[in-house]
Structures are given as structure tokens and as C-alpha cells.
Short mmCIF file of all heavy atoms in Angstrom, two decimals:
data_model
loop_
_atom_site.label_atom_id
_atom_site.label_comp_id
_atom_site.label_asym_id
_atom_site.label_seq_id
_atom_site.Cartn_x
_atom_site.Cartn_y
_atom_site.Cartn_z
N VAL A 222 -16.48 -12.59 40.37
CA VAL A 222 -16.88 -13.98 40.67
C VAL A 222 -17.23 -14.70 39.39
O VAL A 222 -16.78 -15.83 39.13
CB VAL A 222 -18.07 -14.01 41.65
CG1 VAL A 222 -18.59 -15.43 41.80
CG2 VAL A 222 -17.65 -13.46 43.01
N GLY A 223 -18.04 -14.05 38.54
CA GLY A 223 -18.41 -14.67 37.28
C GLY A 223 -17.21 -14.97 36.41
O GLY A 223 -17.10 -16.06 35.83
N ASN A 224 -16.28 -14.03 36.34
CA ASN A 224 -15.07 -14.24 35.53
C ASN A 224 -14.23 -15.38 36.06
O ASN A 224 -13.71 -16.20 35.30
CB ASN A 224 -14.24 -12.95 35.48
CG ASN A 224 -14.92 -11.84 34.70
OD1 ASN A 224 -15.75 -12.11 33.84
ND2 ASN A 224 -14.57 -10.60 35.00
N ALA A 225 -14.09 -15.44 37.40
CA ALA A 225 -13.28 -16.51 38.00
C ALA A 225 -13.90 -17.87 37.76
O ALA A 225 -13.20 -18.84 37.44
CB ALA A 225 -13.12 -16.25 39.50
N LEU A 226 -15.22 -17.96 37.90
CA LEU A 226 -15.88 -19.25 37.73
C LEU A 226 -15.85 -19.70 36.27
O LEU A 226 -15.82 -20.90 35.98
CB LEU A 226 -17.32 -19.18 38.24
CG LEU A 226 -17.46 -18.89 39.73
CD1 LEU A 226 -18.92 -18.99 40.15
CD2 LEU A 226 -16.59 -19.82 40.57
N HIS A 227 -15.85 -18.76 35.35
CA HIS A 227 -15.74 -19.11 33.94
C HIS A 227 -14.40 -19.76 33.63
O HIS A 227 -14.28 -20.56 32.69
CB HIS A 227 -15.93 -17.87 33.08
CG HIS A 227 -15.99 -18.16 31.61
ND1 HIS A 227 -17.08 -18.76 31.01
CD2 HIS A 227 -15.07 -17.96 30.62
CE1 HIS A 227 -16.84 -18.92 29.72
NE2 HIS A 227 -15.63 -18.44 29.46
N LYS A 228 -13.39 -19.44 34.47
CA LYS A 228 -12.04 -20.00 34.29
C LYS A 228 -11.73 -21.08 35.32
O LYS A 228 -10.57 -21.42 35.55
CB LYS A 228 -11.01 -18.88 34.39
CG LYS A 228 -11.20 -17.77 33.35
CD LYS A 228 -10.25 -16.62 33.59
CE LYS A 228 -10.48 -15.48 32.61
NZ LYS A 228 -9.59 -14.32 32.88
N ASN A 229 -12.76 -21.62 35.93
CA ASN A 229 -12.62 -22.63 36.98
C ASN A 229 -11.59 -23.70 36.59
O ASN A 229 -11.81 -24.45 35.64
CB ASN A 229 -13.98 -23.28 37.24
CG ASN A 229 -13.97 -24.23 38.41
OD1 ASN A 229 -12.93 -24.64 38.91
ND2 ASN A 229 -15.15 -24.61 38.86
N PRO A 230 -10.48 -23.81 37.33
CA PRO A 230 -9.44 -24.78 36.96
C PRO A 230 -9.71 -26.19 37.46
O PRO A 230 -9.03 -27.13 37.06
CB PRO A 230 -8.19 -24.20 37.65
CG PRO A 230 -8.74 -23.56 38.89
CD PRO A 230 -10.08 -22.99 38.48
N ASP A 231 -10.70 -26.34 38.34
CA ASP A 231 -10.93 -27.65 38.96
C ASP A 231 -12.43 -27.84 39.23
O ASP A 231 -12.87 -27.86 40.38
CB ASP A 231 -10.13 -27.73 40.27
CG ASP A 231 -10.17 -29.11 40.90
OD1 ASP A 231 -10.66 -30.06 40.25
OD2 ASP A 231 -9.72 -29.24 42.06
N PRO A 232 -13.23 -28.00 38.17
CA PRO A 232 -14.68 -28.09 38.36
C PRO A 232 -15.14 -29.27 39.20
O PRO A 232 -16.23 -29.23 39.78
CB PRO A 232 -15.22 -28.18 36.93
CG PRO A 232 -14.06 -28.61 36.09
CD PRO A 232 -12.85 -28.03 36.75
N ASP A 233 -14.31 -30.30 39.31
CA ASP A 233 -14.69 -31.45 40.14
C ASP A 233 -14.72 -31.10 41.62
O ASP A 233 -15.45 -31.70 42.41
CB ASP A 233 -13.72 -32.61 39.92
CG ASP A 233 -13.90 -33.27 38.56
OD1 ASP A 233 -14.99 -33.13 37.98
OD2 ASP A 233 -12.94 -33.89 38.07
N ASN A 234 -13.91 -30.12 42.01
CA ASN A 234 -13.81 -29.75 43.42
C ASN A 234 -14.28 -28.33 43.72
O ASN A 234 -14.43 -27.96 44.88
CB ASN A 234 -12.36 -29.91 43.90
CG ASN A 234 -11.91 -31.35 43.89
OD1 ASN A 234 -12.52 -32.20 44.52
ND2 ASN A 234 -10.84 -31.64 43.16
N ILE A 235 -14.49 -27.54 42.68
CA ILE A 235 -15.01 -26.18 42.84
C ILE A 235 -16.36 -26.14 42.13
O ILE A 235 -16.43 -25.93 40.92
CB ILE A 235 -14.06 -25.13 42.25
CG1 ILE A 235 -12.66 -25.25 42.87
CG2 ILE A 235 -14.60 -23.71 42.48
CD1 ILE A 235 -11.60 -24.38 42.19
N PRO A 236 -17.46 -26.38 42.86
CA PRO A 236 -18.77 -26.58 42.23
C PRO A 236 -19.43 -25.29 41.77
O PRO A 236 -20.43 -24.83 42.34
CB PRO A 236 -19.57 -27.26 43.34
CG PRO A 236 -19.00 -26.67 44.60
CD PRO A 236 -17.52 -26.52 44.32
N CYS A 237 -18.89 -24.70 40.71
CA CYS A 237 -19.41 -23.41 40.26
C CYS A 237 -20.83 -23.51 39.72
O CYS A 237 -21.52 -22.50 39.60
CB CYS A 237 -18.48 -22.79 39.23
SG CYS A 237 -18.20 -23.79 37.77
N PHE A 238 -21.30 -24.72 39.41
CA PHE A 238 -22.68 -24.86 38.94
C PHE A 238 -23.69 -24.50 40.03
O PHE A 238 -24.87 -24.28 39.75
CB PHE A 238 -22.92 -26.29 38.44
CG PHE A 238 -22.87 -27.36 39.50
CD1 PHE A 238 -24.03 -27.72 40.19
CD2 PHE A 238 -21.68 -28.00 39.80
CE1 PHE A 238 -23.99 -28.70 41.17
CE2 PHE A 238 -21.63 -28.98 40.79
CZ PHE A 238 -22.78 -29.33 41.48
N ARG A 239 -23.25 -24.42 41.29
CA ARG A 239 -24.14 -24.05 42.39
C ARG A 239 -24.27 -22.54 42.56
O ARG A 239 -24.88 -22.08 43.53
CB ARG A 239 -23.63 -24.67 43.69
CG ARG A 239 -23.69 -26.20 43.71
CD ARG A 239 -23.13 -26.77 44.99
NE ARG A 239 -23.05 -28.23 44.94
CZ ARG A 239 -22.22 -28.97 45.67
NH1 ARG A 239 -21.39 -28.39 46.52
NH2 ARG A 239 -22.21 -30.29 45.54
N VAL A 240 -23.70 -21.76 41.65
CA VAL A 240 -23.77 -20.30 41.74
C VAL A 240 -24.75 -19.79 40.69
O VAL A 240 -24.65 -20.14 39.51
CB VAL A 240 -22.38 -19.66 41.53
CG1 VAL A 240 -22.47 -18.14 41.69
CG2 VAL A 240 -21.38 -20.24 42.54
N VAL A 241 -25.70 -18.96 41.12
CA VAL A 241 -26.72 -18.40 40.23
C VAL A 241 -26.81 -16.89 40.47
O VAL A 241 -26.20 -16.37 41.41
CB VAL A 241 -28.10 -19.06 40.49
CG1 VAL A 241 -28.04 -20.55 40.18
CG2 VAL A 241 -28.55 -18.82 41.93
N ASP A 242 -27.60 -16.21 39.64
CA ASP A 242 -27.70 -14.77 39.85
C ASP A 242 -28.73 -14.46 40.95
O ASP A 242 -29.32 -15.37 41.55
CB ASP A 242 -27.99 -14.03 38.54
CG ASP A 242 -29.43 -14.15 38.06
OD1 ASP A 242 -30.28 -14.72 38.77
OD2 ASP A 242 -29.70 -13.66 36.95
N SER A 243 -28.97 -13.18 41.20
CA SER A 243 -29.79 -12.78 42.35
C SER A 243 -31.25 -13.16 42.21
O SER A 243 -32.01 -13.10 43.18
CB SER A 243 -29.68 -11.26 42.55
OG SER A 243 -30.12 -10.57 41.40
N LYS A 244 -31.65 -13.58 41.00
CA LYS A 244 -33.03 -14.02 40.78
C LYS A 244 -33.12 -15.52 40.57
O LYS A 244 -34.18 -16.04 40.20
CB LYS A 244 -33.61 -13.27 39.58
CG LYS A 244 -33.71 -11.77 39.80
CD LYS A 244 -34.31 -11.07 38.58
CE LYS A 244 -34.40 -9.56 38.82
NZ LYS A 244 -34.97 -8.85 37.65
N GLY A 245 -32.03 -16.19 40.78
CA GLY A 245 -32.01 -17.65 40.63
C GLY A 245 -31.79 -18.12 39.22
O GLY A 245 -31.89 -19.32 38.93
N LYS A 246 -31.44 -17.20 38.34
CA LYS A 246 -31.23 -17.55 36.93
C LYS A 246 -29.89 -18.22 36.73
O LYS A 246 -28.88 -17.84 37.33
CB LYS A 246 -31.33 -16.30 36.06
CG LYS A 246 -31.29 -16.56 34.57
CD LYS A 246 -31.45 -15.26 33.79
CE LYS A 246 -31.39 -15.50 32.30
NZ LYS A 246 -31.52 -14.24 31.54
N LEU A 247 -29.86 -19.23 35.86
CA LEU A 247 -28.62 -19.94 35.57
C LEU A 247 -27.76 -19.15 34.60
O LEU A 247 -28.22 -18.20 33.96
CB LEU A 247 -28.94 -21.32 34.97
CG LEU A 247 -29.92 -22.21 35.73
CD1 LEU A 247 -29.92 -23.61 35.12
CD2 LEU A 247 -29.62 -22.26 37.21
N ALA A 248 -26.50 -19.57 34.50
CA ALA A 248 -25.59 -18.92 33.56
C ALA A 248 -26.06 -19.16 32.14
O ALA A 248 -26.51 -20.26 31.80
CB ALA A 248 -24.18 -19.46 33.75
N GLY A 249 -25.95 -18.15 31.28
CA GLY A 249 -26.43 -18.27 29.92
C GLY A 249 -25.72 -19.35 29.12
O GLY A 249 -26.34 -20.11 28.38
N GLY A 250 -24.42 -19.43 29.28
CA GLY A 250 -23.65 -20.47 28.61
C GLY A 250 -22.67 -21.06 29.60
O GLY A 250 -21.58 -20.54 29.78
N PHE A 251 -23.08 -22.10 30.28
CA PHE A 251 -22.25 -22.66 31.36
C PHE A 251 -20.89 -23.06 30.81
O PHE A 251 -20.78 -23.62 29.71
CB PHE A 251 -22.97 -23.86 31.97
CG PHE A 251 -22.31 -24.39 33.22
CD1 PHE A 251 -22.18 -23.60 34.34
CD2 PHE A 251 -21.82 -25.68 33.26
CE1 PHE A 251 -21.59 -24.07 35.49
CE2 PHE A 251 -21.23 -26.18 34.41
CZ PHE A 251 -21.11 -25.36 35.53
N ALA A 252 -19.85 -22.75 31.55
CA ALA A 252 -18.48 -22.88 31.04
C ALA A 252 -18.08 -24.32 30.72
O ALA A 252 -17.23 -24.54 29.88
CB ALA A 252 -17.50 -22.29 32.06
N PHE A 253 -18.70 -25.29 31.36
CA PHE A 253 -18.22 -26.66 31.21
C PHE A 253 -19.27 -27.55 30.55
O PHE A 253 -20.02 -28.26 31.21
CB PHE A 253 -17.81 -27.22 32.57
CG PHE A 253 -16.80 -26.35 33.25
CD1 PHE A 253 -17.18 -25.47 34.24
CD2 PHE A 253 -15.47 -26.36 32.86
CE1 PHE A 253 -16.25 -24.63 34.84
CE2 PHE A 253 -14.54 -25.53 33.45
CZ PHE A 253 -14.93 -24.66 34.44
N GLY A 254 -19.36 -27.45 29.22
CA GLY A 254 -20.20 -28.38 28.50
C GLY A 254 -21.44 -27.81 27.85
O GLY A 254 -22.13 -28.53 27.15
#
């Protein structure tokens, strides 16, 4: 899942920013920006 979201081809329609780890932690280096 993490690998796929890092390669998200359509961030406007695939809201990968809404995915966090099991403790609610955000991605260390968000793929888009």
C-alpha cells in the first residue's frame, strides 16, 4: 500500500494523504510536495 501510494498517478482523485500508519503517524516524506 505504501509503495503504491508513493507512486499515486492521480492524487486529485486518489486521496492518499488520508492514509496514516497504525498509530496515526503521517508519512515521513509525503510523495506530493
Side-chain angles (χ1 to χ4, degrees):
V222 172
N224 292 336
L226 297 186
H227 186 73
K228 300 174 183 178
N229 186 346
D231 187 10
D233 289 338
N234 294 303
I235 304 172
C237 58
F238 67 90
R239 294 177 186 156
V240 182
V241 298
D242 76 6
S243 59
K244 297 181 180 179
K246 187 178 179 181
L247 308 190
F251 189 61
F253 305 100

